[in-house]
Amino acid sequence: MECAICAKHRGEGPLAGPVVWADDAVVVSHRPGEFPGYLFVETRRHVAALDKLTSDEVSAVSHAAWCAARGLRAELTPEHVFSAIAGRSVAHFHQHVFVRHRGTPEEIGWMDSPLWTGTPVLDIGVLCRRLADYF
């Protein structure tokens, strides 16, 4: 079975969302859907885990995640910017960088923020173009 993230990098499949920024090592994209401020930093090379990355990939991923977090904070002024590496659902390295919008009810857990229906309504394409300036 083909990797869903490799397909995503070709603009195919259900995971494909707007690309914020990319270079030879990483792709930063926005999660599909209407929750503004949920980005993925993914290696171009198909590799499953953090400990399998090259030193150059680690540097590229960490710099891209830092740029993503700075951009999200500046553009959305969230309560918090989270980052997580789990790697359980798709065996292709990806780091989540996402916000908790101000006003999110306390009972909504940090990983459940995208389920909150009170998030700001934004044009995701416009947001991604603005975020690109932080890379």
Side-chain angles (χ1 to χ4, degrees):
M1 184 171 162
E2 185 185 31
C3 171
I5 292 177
C6 289
K8 173 185 177 179
H9 292 173
R10 293 191 310 273
E12 302 169 0
L15 300 181
V19 173
V20 173
W21 182 84
D23 68 7
D24 291 341
V26 298
V27 176
V28 179
S29 60
H30 197 284
R31 180 181 180 168
E34 297 179 9
F35 180 85
Y38 200 119
L39 305 180
F40 295 102
V41 177
E42 302 154 343
T43 56
R44 283 206 183 264
R45 184 171 69 96
H46 179 80
V47 60
L50 178 63
D51 63 318
K52 302 295 183 185
L53 300 180
T54 67
S55 177
D56 288 342
E57 287 170 328
V58 169
S59 294
V61 164
S62 65
H63 187 261
W66 177 72
C67 291
R70 288 178 60 238
L72 289 169
R73 180 159 316 278
E75 295 297 325
L76 299 175
T77 61
E79 179 181 307
H80 194 76
V81 178
F82 293 103
S83 176
I85 300 170
R88 294 201 27 97
S89 61
V90 179
H92 185 130
F93 179 84
H94 57 287
Q95 181 171 350
H96 303 245
V97 182
F98 58 100
V99 302
R100 180 177 182 88
H101 291 284
R102 293 190 185 281
T104 302
E106 287 298 318
E107 62 270 13
I108 296 189
W110 69 279
M111 283 297 293
D112 294 327
S113 291
L115 302 176
W116 181 44
T117 58
T119 59
V121 177
L122 299 171
D123 183 314
I124 301 295
V126 170
L127 173 62
C128 290
R129 288 190 292 279
R130 290 193 334 245
L131 290 170
D133 292 340
Y134 293 87
F135 290 84

